[in-house]
PDB file of all heavy atoms in Angstrom:
ATOM      1  N   ASP A   1      -2.335  24.973  -7.034  1.00 85.00           N
ATOM      2  CA  ASP A   1      -0.900  25.256  -7.142  1.00 85.00           C
ATOM      3  C   ASP A   1      -0.480  25.267  -8.626  1.00 85.00           C
ATOM      4  O   ASP A   1      -1.388  25.105  -9.445  1.00 85.00           O
ATOM      5  CB  ASP A   1      -0.065  24.255  -6.349  1.00 85.00           C
ATOM      6  CG  ASP A   1      -0.319  22.710  -6.760  1.00 85.00           C
ATOM      7  OD1 ASP A   1      -0.856  22.666  -7.986  1.00 85.00           O
ATOM      8  OD2 ASP A   1      -0.084  21.812  -6.075  1.00 85.00           O
ATOM      9  N   ILE A   2       0.795  25.592  -8.812  1.00 85.00           N
ATOM     10  CA  ILE A   2       1.268  25.714 -10.155  1.00 85.00           C
ATOM     11  C   ILE A   2       1.067  24.506 -11.037  1.00 85.00           C
ATOM     12  O   ILE A   2       0.776  24.554 -12.270  1.00 85.00           O
ATOM     13  CB  ILE A   2       2.762  26.130 -10.107  1.00 85.00           C
ATOM     14  CG1 ILE A   2       3.138  26.804 -11.473  1.00 85.00           C
ATOM     15  CG2 ILE A   2       3.649  24.933  -9.857  1.00 85.00           C
ATOM     16  CD1 ILE A   2       2.606  28.160 -11.667  1.00 85.00           C
ATOM     17  N   SER A   3       1.081  23.362 -10.480  1.00 80.00           N
ATOM     18  CA  SER A   3       0.832  22.081 -11.210  1.00 80.00           C
ATOM     19  C   SER A   3      -0.518  21.932 -11.675  1.00 80.00           C
ATOM     20  O   SER A   3      -0.847  21.552 -12.760  1.00 80.00           O
ATOM     21  CB  SER A   3       1.252  20.789 -10.372  1.00 80.00           C
ATOM     22  OG  SER A   3       0.444  20.749  -9.214  1.00 80.00           O
ATOM     23  N   GLU A   4      -1.495  22.424 -10.812  1.00 81.00           N
ATOM     24  CA  GLU A   4      -2.879  22.356 -11.301  1.00 81.00           C
ATOM     25  C   GLU A   4      -3.182  23.397 -12.372  1.00 81.00           C
ATOM     26  O   GLU A   4      -3.953  23.083 -13.282  1.00 81.00           O
ATOM     27  CB  GLU A   4      -3.823  22.545 -10.129  1.00 81.00           C
ATOM     28  CG  GLU A   4      -5.243  22.326 -10.518  1.00 81.00           C
ATOM     29  CD  GLU A   4      -6.264  22.348  -9.374  1.00 81.00           C
ATOM     30  OE1 GLU A   4      -5.810  22.146  -8.206  1.00 81.00           O
ATOM     31  OE2 GLU A   4      -7.488  22.262  -9.567  1.00 81.00           O
ATOM     32  N   VAL A   5      -2.570  24.467 -12.281  1.00 88.00           N
ATOM     33  CA  VAL A   5      -2.644  25.537 -13.345  1.00 88.00           C
ATOM     34  C   VAL A   5      -2.223  24.903 -14.623  1.00 88.00           C
ATOM     35  O   VAL A   5      -2.897  25.075 -15.663  1.00 88.00           O
ATOM     36  CB  VAL A   5      -1.835  26.759 -13.006  1.00 88.00           C
ATOM     37  CG1 VAL A   5      -1.957  27.791 -14.159  1.00 88.00           C
ATOM     38  CG2 VAL A   5      -2.341  27.432 -11.692  1.00 88.00           C
ATOM     39  N   ASP A   6      -1.026  24.270 -14.641  1.00 84.00           N
ATOM     40  CA  ASP A   6      -0.487  23.621 -15.886  1.00 84.00           C
ATOM     41  C   ASP A   6      -1.480  22.564 -16.323  1.00 84.00           C
ATOM     42  O   ASP A   6      -1.712  22.515 -17.535  1.00 84.00           O
ATOM     43  CB  ASP A   6       0.830  22.945 -15.537  1.00 84.00           C
ATOM     44  CG  ASP A   6       1.428  22.259 -16.617  1.00 84.00           C
ATOM     45  OD1 ASP A   6       1.898  22.878 -17.641  1.00 84.00           O
ATOM     46  OD2 ASP A   6       1.502  21.036 -16.609  1.00 84.00           O
ATOM     47  N   GLY A   7      -2.048  21.836 -15.463  1.00 80.00           N
ATOM     48  CA  GLY A   7      -2.998  20.775 -15.861  1.00 80.00           C
ATOM     49  C   GLY A   7      -4.229  21.366 -16.524  1.00 80.00           C
ATOM     50  O   GLY A   7      -4.702  20.767 -17.556  1.00 80.00           O
ATOM     51  N   VAL A   8      -4.813  22.356 -15.944  1.00 84.00           N
ATOM     52  CA  VAL A   8      -6.009  22.976 -16.545  1.00 84.00           C
ATOM     53  C   VAL A   8      -5.670  23.609 -17.930  1.00 84.00           C
ATOM     54  O   VAL A   8      -6.433  23.486 -18.868  1.00 84.00           O
ATOM     55  CB  VAL A   8      -6.584  24.061 -15.582  1.00 84.00           C
ATOM     56  CG1 VAL A   8      -7.729  24.805 -16.301  1.00 84.00           C
ATOM     57  CG2 VAL A   8      -7.140  23.436 -14.343  1.00 84.00           C
ATOM     58  N   ILE A   9      -4.507  24.174 -18.029  1.00 86.00           N
ATOM     59  CA  ILE A   9      -4.123  24.764 -19.360  1.00 86.00           C
ATOM     60  C   ILE A   9      -4.090  23.633 -20.384  1.00 86.00           C
ATOM     61  O   ILE A   9      -4.547  23.687 -21.590  1.00 86.00           O
ATOM     62  CB  ILE A   9      -2.756  25.452 -19.257  1.00 86.00           C
ATOM     63  CG1 ILE A   9      -2.847  26.670 -18.492  1.00 86.00           C
ATOM     64  CG2 ILE A   9      -2.150  25.836 -20.663  1.00 86.00           C
ATOM     65  CD1 ILE A   9      -1.630  27.410 -18.044  1.00 86.00           C
ATOM     66  N   ARG A  10      -3.493  22.495 -19.988  1.00 80.00           N
ATOM     67  CA  ARG A  10      -3.367  21.314 -20.969  1.00 80.00           C
ATOM     68  C   ARG A  10      -4.709  20.868 -21.348  1.00 80.00           C
ATOM     69  O   ARG A  10      -4.981  20.570 -22.500  1.00 80.00           O
ATOM     70  CB  ARG A  10      -2.601  20.136 -20.315  1.00 80.00           C
ATOM     71  CG  ARG A  10      -1.114  20.462 -20.009  1.00 80.00           C
ATOM     72  CD  ARG A  10      -0.501  19.152 -19.514  1.00 80.00           C
ATOM     73  NE  ARG A  10       0.795  19.361 -18.855  1.00 80.00           N
ATOM     74  CZ  ARG A  10       1.699  18.495 -18.845  1.00 80.00           C
ATOM     75  NH1 ARG A  10       1.583  17.284 -19.458  1.00 80.00           N
ATOM     76  NH2 ARG A  10       2.918  18.666 -18.165  1.00 80.00           N
ATOM     77  N   MET A  11      -5.677  20.790 -20.391  1.00 78.00           N
ATOM     78  CA  MET A  11      -6.940  20.243 -20.703  1.00 78.00           C
ATOM     79  C   MET A  11      -7.659  21.152 -21.569  1.00 78.00           C
ATOM     80  O   MET A  11      -8.313  20.829 -22.577  1.00 78.00           O
ATOM     81  CB  MET A  11      -7.740  20.060 -19.406  1.00 78.00           C
ATOM     82  CG  MET A  11      -7.170  19.087 -18.397  1.00 78.00           C
ATOM     83  SD  MET A  11      -7.289  17.424 -18.959  1.00 78.00           S
ATOM     84  CE  MET A  11      -9.094  17.163 -18.425  1.00 78.00           C
ATOM     85  N   ILE A  12      -7.578  22.514 -21.426  1.00 81.00           N
ATOM     86  CA  ILE A  12      -8.277  23.481 -22.284  1.00 81.00           C
ATOM     87  C   ILE A  12      -7.703  23.474 -23.774  1.00 81.00           C
ATOM     88  O   ILE A  12      -8.396  23.527 -24.645  1.00 81.00           O
ATOM     89  CB  ILE A  12      -8.063  24.917 -21.679  1.00 81.00           C
ATOM     90  CG1 ILE A  12      -8.845  25.057 -20.361  1.00 81.00           C
ATOM     91  CG2 ILE A  12      -8.463  26.078 -22.738  1.00 81.00           C
ATOM     92  CD1 ILE A  12     -10.339  25.022 -20.532  1.00 81.00           C
ATOM     93  N   GLN A  13      -6.373  23.391 -23.786  1.00 77.00           N
ATOM     94  CA  GLN A  13      -5.749  23.247 -25.136  1.00 77.00           C
ATOM     95  C   GLN A  13      -6.196  22.014 -25.823  1.00 77.00           C
ATOM     96  O   GLN A  13      -6.400  22.022 -27.075  1.00 77.00           O
ATOM     97  CB  GLN A  13      -4.237  23.320 -24.964  1.00 77.00           C
ATOM     98  CG  GLN A  13      -3.702  24.734 -24.593  1.00 77.00           C
ATOM     99  CD  GLN A  13      -2.233  24.768 -24.402  1.00 77.00           C
ATOM    100  OE1 GLN A  13      -1.668  23.798 -23.882  1.00 77.00           O
ATOM    101  NE2 GLN A  13      -1.624  25.907 -24.747  1.00 77.00           N
ATOM    102  N   THR A  14      -6.259  20.901 -25.143  1.00 71.00           N
ATOM    103  CA  THR A  14      -6.661  19.656 -25.775  1.00 71.00           C
ATOM    104  C   THR A  14      -8.138  19.733 -26.248  1.00 71.00           C
ATOM    105  O   THR A  14      -8.549  19.295 -27.343  1.00 71.00           O
ATOM    106  CB  THR A  14      -6.553  18.492 -24.786  1.00 71.00           C
ATOM    107  OG1 THR A  14      -5.095  18.387 -24.553  1.00 71.00           O
ATOM    108  CG2 THR A  14      -6.958  17.142 -25.432  1.00 71.00           C
ATOM    109  N   GLU A  15      -8.994  20.372 -25.486  1.00 66.00           N
ATOM    110  CA  GLU A  15     -10.347  20.533 -25.739  1.00 66.00           C
ATOM    111  C   GLU A  15     -10.505  21.294 -27.104  1.00 66.00           C
ATOM    112  O   GLU A  15     -11.320  20.833 -27.945  1.00 66.00           O
ATOM    113  CB  GLU A  15     -11.135  21.301 -24.716  1.00 66.00           C
ATOM    114  CG  GLU A  15     -12.500  21.562 -24.978  1.00 66.00           C
ATOM    115  CD  GLU A  15     -13.186  22.555 -24.044  1.00 66.00           C
ATOM    116  OE1 GLU A  15     -12.451  23.272 -23.225  1.00 66.00           O
ATOM    117  OE2 GLU A  15     -14.449  22.712 -24.072  1.00 66.00           O
ATOM    118  N   ASP A  16      -9.789  22.309 -27.302  1.00 61.00           N
ATOM    119  CA  ASP A  16      -9.872  23.107 -28.515  1.00 61.00           C
ATOM    120  C   ASP A  16      -9.228  22.428 -29.684  1.00 61.00           C
ATOM    121  O   ASP A  16      -9.724  22.570 -30.798  1.00 61.00           O
ATOM    122  CB  ASP A  16      -9.188  24.417 -28.288  1.00 61.00           C
ATOM    123  CG  ASP A  16     -10.027  25.423 -27.463  1.00 61.00           C
ATOM    124  OD1 ASP A  16     -11.124  25.005 -27.166  1.00 61.00           O
ATOM    125  OD2 ASP A  16      -9.552  26.532 -27.103  1.00 61.00           O
ATOM    126  N   SER A  17      -8.207  21.590 -29.439  1.00 54.00           N
ATOM    127  CA  SER A  17      -7.472  20.881 -30.606  1.00 54.00           C
ATOM    128  C   SER A  17      -8.160  19.671 -31.009  1.00 54.00           C
ATOM    129  O   SER A  17      -8.047  19.271 -32.191  1.00 54.00           O
ATOM    130  CB  SER A  17      -6.049  20.661 -30.296  1.00 54.00           C
ATOM    131  OG  SER A  17      -5.942  19.687 -29.186  1.00 54.00           O
ATOM    132  N   GLN A  18      -8.837  18.976 -30.129  1.00 48.00           N
ATOM    133  CA  GLN A  18      -9.334  17.595 -30.449  1.00 48.00           C
ATOM    134  C   GLN A  18     -10.890  17.571 -30.319  1.00 48.00           C
ATOM    135  O   GLN A  18     -11.594  17.002 -31.181  1.00 48.00           O
ATOM    136  CB  GLN A  18      -8.807  16.573 -29.495  1.00 48.00           C
ATOM    137  CG  GLN A  18      -7.300  16.429 -29.657  1.00 48.00           C
ATOM    138  CD  GLN A  18      -6.778  15.353 -28.711  1.00 48.00           C
ATOM    139  OE1 GLN A  18      -7.500  14.758 -27.917  1.00 48.00           O
ATOM    140  NE2 GLN A  18      -5.477  15.080 -28.818  1.00 48.00           N
ATOM    141  N   LEU A  19     -11.500  18.106 -29.252  1.00 42.00           N
ATOM    142  CA  LEU A  19     -12.898  18.159 -29.064  1.00 42.00           C
ATOM    143  C   LEU A  19     -13.395  16.712 -29.110  1.00 42.00           C
ATOM    144  O   LEU A  19     -14.582  16.391 -29.607  1.00 42.00           O
ATOM    145  CB  LEU A  19     -13.566  18.992 -30.107  1.00 42.00           C
ATOM    146  CG  LEU A  19     -13.289  20.485 -30.093  1.00 42.00           C
ATOM    147  CD1 LEU A  19     -14.050  21.173 -31.185  1.00 42.00           C
ATOM    148  CD2 LEU A  19     -13.711  21.128 -28.758  1.00 42.00           C
ATOM    149  N   THR A  20     -12.677  15.734 -28.501  1.00 43.00           N
ATOM    150  CA  THR A  20     -13.192  14.350 -28.512  1.00 43.00           C
ATOM    151  C   THR A  20     -13.359  13.816 -27.099  1.00 43.00           C
ATOM    152  O   THR A  20     -13.695  12.701 -26.861  1.00 43.00           O
ATOM    153  CB  THR A  20     -12.069  13.429 -29.236  1.00 43.00           C
ATOM    154  OG1 THR A  20     -10.881  13.582 -28.627  1.00 43.00           O
ATOM    155  CG2 THR A  20     -12.063  13.836 -30.736  1.00 43.00           C
ATOM    156  N   LEU A  21     -12.956  14.649 -26.072  1.00 44.00           N
ATOM    157  CA  LEU A  21     -13.061  14.123 -24.738  1.00 44.00           C
ATOM    158  C   LEU A  21     -14.548  14.300 -24.216  1.00 44.00           C
ATOM    159  O   LEU A  21     -14.969  15.400 -24.060  1.00 44.00           O
ATOM    160  CB  LEU A  21     -12.087  14.823 -23.838  1.00 44.00           C
ATOM    161  CG  LEU A  21     -10.589  14.713 -24.215  1.00 44.00           C
ATOM    162  CD1 LEU A  21      -9.699  15.551 -23.348  1.00 44.00           C
ATOM    163  CD2 LEU A  21     -10.176  13.272 -23.994  1.00 44.00           C
ATOM    164  N   PRO A  22     -15.146  13.225 -23.771  1.00 45.00           N
ATOM    165  CA  PRO A  22     -16.516  13.386 -23.304  1.00 45.00           C
ATOM    166  C   PRO A  22     -16.566  14.005 -21.976  1.00 45.00           C
ATOM    167  O   PRO A  22     -17.579  14.412 -21.498  1.00 45.00           O
ATOM    168  CB  PRO A  22     -16.941  11.951 -23.101  1.00 45.00           C
ATOM    169  CG  PRO A  22     -15.689  11.118 -22.919  1.00 45.00           C
ATOM    170  CD  PRO A  22     -14.667  11.890 -23.807  1.00 45.00           C
ATOM    171  N   THR A  23     -15.424  14.203 -21.172  1.00 47.00           N
ATOM    172  CA  THR A  23     -15.485  14.837 -19.923  1.00 47.00           C
ATOM    173  C   THR A  23     -15.256  16.347 -20.014  1.00 47.00           C
ATOM    174  O   THR A  23     -15.227  16.978 -19.015  1.00 47.00           O
ATOM    175  CB  THR A  23     -14.323  14.295 -19.089  1.00 47.00           C
ATOM    176  OG1 THR A  23     -13.097  14.416 -19.738  1.00 47.00           O
ATOM    177  CG2 THR A  23     -14.507  12.718 -18.834  1.00 47.00           C
ATOM    178  N   LEU A  24     -15.237  16.930 -21.112  1.00 44.00           N
ATOM    179  CA  LEU A  24     -14.941  18.403 -21.332  1.00 44.00           C
ATOM    180  C   LEU A  24     -16.236  19.030 -21.936  1.00 44.00           C
ATOM    181  O   LEU A  24     -16.816  18.377 -22.823  1.00 44.00           O
ATOM    182  CB  LEU A  24     -13.779  18.639 -22.217  1.00 44.00           C
ATOM    183  CG  LEU A  24     -12.443  18.141 -21.682  1.00 44.00           C
ATOM    184  CD1 LEU A  24     -11.376  18.453 -22.712  1.00 44.00           C
ATOM    185  CD2 LEU A  24     -12.155  18.678 -20.431  1.00 44.00           C
ATOM    186  N   GLU A  25     -16.505  20.271 -21.518  1.00 44.00           N
ATOM    187  CA  GLU A  25     -17.602  20.927 -22.075  1.00 44.00           C
ATOM    188  C   GLU A  25     -17.102  22.053 -22.962  1.00 44.00           C
ATOM    189  O   GLU A  25     -16.204  22.777 -22.643  1.00 44.00           O
ATOM    190  CB  GLU A  25     -18.396  21.577 -20.898  1.00 44.00           C
ATOM    191  CG  GLU A  25     -19.082  20.607 -19.948  1.00 44.00           C
ATOM    192  CD  GLU A  25     -19.828  21.341 -18.832  1.00 44.00           C
ATOM    193  OE1 GLU A  25     -19.754  22.586 -18.773  1.00 44.00           O
ATOM    194  OE2 GLU A  25     -20.656  20.663 -18.188  1.00 44.00           O
ATOM    195  N   ARG A  26     -17.673  22.128 -24.143  1.00 44.00           N
ATOM    196  CA  ARG A  26     -17.172  23.079 -25.129  1.00 44.00           C
ATOM    197  C   ARG A  26     -17.344  24.528 -24.501  1.00 44.00           C
ATOM    198  O   ARG A  26     -18.439  24.869 -24.122  1.00 44.00           O
ATOM    199  CB  ARG A  26     -18.021  22.967 -26.337  1.00 44.00           C
ATOM    200  CG  ARG A  26     -17.741  24.062 -27.451  1.00 44.00           C
ATOM    201  CD  ARG A  26     -16.242  23.846 -27.936  1.00 44.00           C
ATOM    202  NE  ARG A  26     -16.027  24.713 -29.040  1.00 44.00           N
ATOM    203  CZ  ARG A  26     -14.812  25.004 -29.568  1.00 44.00           C
ATOM    204  NH1 ARG A  26     -13.801  24.500 -28.960  1.00 44.00           N
ATOM    205  NH2 ARG A  26     -14.588  25.798 -30.613  1.00 44.00           N
ATOM    206  N   LYS A  27     -16.258  25.231 -24.508  1.00 46.00           N
ATOM    207  CA  LYS A  27     -16.243  26.638 -23.989  1.00 46.00           C
ATOM    208  C   LYS A  27     -16.741  26.723 -22.574  1.00 46.00           C
ATOM    209  O   LYS A  27     -17.154  27.779 -22.160  1.00 46.00           O
ATOM    210  CB  LYS A  27     -17.118  27.468 -24.909  1.00 46.00           C
ATOM    211  CG  LYS A  27     -16.554  27.468 -26.354  1.00 46.00           C
ATOM    212  CD  LYS A  27     -15.163  27.915 -26.564  1.00 46.00           C
ATOM    213  CE  LYS A  27     -14.807  27.923 -27.972  1.00 46.00           C
ATOM    214  NZ  LYS A  27     -13.386  28.238 -28.206  1.00 46.00           N
ATOM    215  N   GLY A  28     -16.760  25.678 -21.735  1.00 49.00           N
ATOM    216  CA  GLY A  28     -17.230  25.652 -20.429  1.00 49.00           C
ATOM    217  C   GLY A  28     -16.180  25.322 -19.433  1.00 49.00           C
ATOM    218  O   GLY A  28     -14.976  25.291 -19.767  1.00 49.00           O
ATOM    219  N   LYS A  29     -16.625  25.109 -18.201  1.00 53.00           N
ATOM    220  CA  LYS A  29     -15.678  24.763 -17.161  1.00 53.00           C
ATOM    221  C   LYS A  29     -15.117  23.395 -17.360  1.00 53.00           C
ATOM    222  O   LYS A  29     -15.822  22.428 -17.701  1.00 53.00           O
ATOM    223  CB  LYS A  29     -16.423  24.875 -15.758  1.00 53.00           C
ATOM    224  CG  LYS A  29     -15.451  24.552 -14.620  1.00 53.00           C
ATOM    225  CD  LYS A  29     -16.201  24.604 -13.299  1.00 53.00           C
ATOM    226  CE  LYS A  29     -15.309  24.229 -12.202  1.00 53.00           C
ATOM    227  NZ  LYS A  29     -16.085  24.300 -10.866  1.00 53.00           N
ATOM    228  N   VAL A  30     -13.820  23.205 -17.098  1.00 56.00           N
ATOM    229  CA  VAL A  30     -13.196  21.874 -17.279  1.00 56.00           C
ATOM    230  C   VAL A  30     -13.578  21.074 -16.058  1.00 56.00           C
ATOM    231  O   VAL A  30     -13.523  21.455 -14.913  1.00 56.00           O
ATOM    232  CB  VAL A  30     -11.644  22.025 -17.289  1.00 56.00           C
ATOM    233  CG1 VAL A  30     -11.008  20.644 -17.333  1.00 56.00           C
ATOM    234  CG2 VAL A  30     -11.242  22.893 -18.459  1.00 56.00           C
ATOM    235  N   ARG A  31     -14.125  19.835 -16.375  1.00 67.00           N
ATOM    236  CA  ARG A  31     -14.471  18.919 -15.301  1.00 67.00           C
ATOM    237  C   ARG A  31     -13.367  17.847 -15.247  1.00 67.00           C
ATOM    238  O   ARG A  31     -13.512  16.806 -15.941  1.00 67.00           O
ATOM    239  CB  ARG A  31     -15.782  18.304 -15.585  1.00 67.00           C
ATOM    240  CG  ARG A  31     -16.951  19.141 -15.522  1.00 67.00           C
ATOM    241  CD  ARG A  31     -18.338  18.507 -15.741  1.00 67.00           C
ATOM    242  NE  ARG A  31     -19.385  19.385 -15.747  1.00 67.00           N
ATOM    243  CZ  ARG A  31     -20.655  18.917 -15.887  1.00 67.00           C
ATOM    244  NH1 ARG A  31     -20.838  17.643 -16.287  1.00 67.00           N
ATOM    245  NH2 ARG A  31     -21.672  19.727 -15.842  1.00 67.00           N
ATOM    246  N   MET A  32     -12.383  18.015 -14.537  1.00 75.00           N
ATOM    247  CA  MET A  32     -11.266  17.062 -14.448  1.00 75.00           C
ATOM    248  C   MET A  32     -11.542  15.982 -13.456  1.00 75.00           C
ATOM    249  O   MET A  32     -12.217  16.159 -12.320  1.00 75.00           O
ATOM    250  CB  MET A  32      -9.959  17.737 -14.125  1.00 75.00           C
ATOM    251  CG  MET A  32      -9.477  18.627 -15.230  1.00 75.00           C
ATOM    252  SD  MET A  32      -7.854  19.391 -14.803  1.00 75.00           S
ATOM    253  CE  MET A  32      -8.296  20.437 -13.481  1.00 75.00           C
ATOM    254  N   ALA A  33     -11.190  14.722 -13.809  1.00 83.00           N
ATOM    255  CA  ALA A  33     -11.449  13.640 -12.905  1.00 83.00           C
ATOM    256  C   ALA A  33     -10.638  13.827 -11.608  1.00 83.00           C
ATOM    257  O   ALA A  33      -9.597  14.378 -11.576  1.00 83.00           O
ATOM    258  CB  ALA A  33     -11.060  12.330 -13.528  1.00 83.00           C
ATOM    259  N   GLN A  34     -11.227  13.226 -10.466  1.00 85.00           N
ATOM    260  CA  GLN A  34     -10.632  13.442  -9.240  1.00 85.00           C
ATOM    261  C   GLN A  34     -10.644  12.089  -8.475  1.00 85.00           C
ATOM    262  O   GLN A  34     -11.488  11.219  -8.767  1.00 85.00           O
ATOM    263  CB  GLN A  34     -11.328  14.372  -8.340  1.00 85.00           C
ATOM    264  CG  GLN A  34     -11.382  15.770  -8.889  1.00 85.00           C
ATOM    265  CD  GLN A  34     -12.128  16.705  -7.923  1.00 85.00           C
ATOM    266  OE1 GLN A  34     -12.283  16.523  -6.776  1.00 85.00           O
ATOM    267  NE2 GLN A  34     -12.693  17.799  -8.468  1.00 85.00           N
ATOM    268  N   ILE A  35      -9.604  11.831  -7.687  1.00 90.00           N
ATOM    269  CA  ILE A  35      -9.593  10.720  -6.721  1.00 90.00           C
ATOM    270  C   ILE A  35      -9.355  11.350  -5.302  1.00 90.00           C
ATOM    271  O   ILE A  35      -8.417  12.001  -5.053  1.00 90.00           O
ATOM    272  CB  ILE A  35      -8.414   9.731  -7.071  1.00 90.00           C
ATOM    273  CG1 ILE A  35      -8.609   9.185  -8.514  1.00 90.00           C
ATOM    274  CG2 ILE A  35      -8.288   8.593  -6.034  1.00 90.00           C
ATOM    275  CD1 ILE A  35      -7.322   8.331  -8.974  1.00 90.00           C
ATOM    276  N   ALA A  36     -10.262  10.972  -4.429  1.00 86.00           N
ATOM    277  CA  ALA A  36     -10.300  11.624  -3.121  1.00 86.00           C
ATOM    278  C   ALA A  36     -10.200  10.591  -2.040  1.00 86.00           C
ATOM    279  O   ALA A  36     -10.889   9.509  -2.024  1.00 86.00           O
ATOM    280  CB  ALA A  36     -11.490  12.510  -2.900  1.00 86.00           C
ATOM    281  N   THR A  37      -9.338  10.780  -1.068  1.00 87.00           N
ATOM    282  CA  THR A  37      -9.339  10.040   0.180  1.00 87.00           C
ATOM    283  C   THR A  37      -9.471  10.955   1.328  1.00 87.00           C
ATOM    284  O   THR A  37      -9.480  12.214   1.169  1.00 87.00           O
ATOM    285  CB  THR A  37      -8.039   9.216   0.381  1.00 87.00           C
ATOM    286  OG1 THR A  37      -6.883  10.139   0.426  1.00 87.00           O
ATOM    287  CG2 THR A  37      -7.804   8.256  -0.847  1.00 87.00           C
TER     288      THR A  37
END
């Protein structure tokens, strides 16, 4: 949905600006944390 699109955009932008998140792959697919029930 639109909120997830917004979330992925934020993650990608942060990856490029900081490159300090261990959960992100440089120039790769975003691996966002999940909580599932």
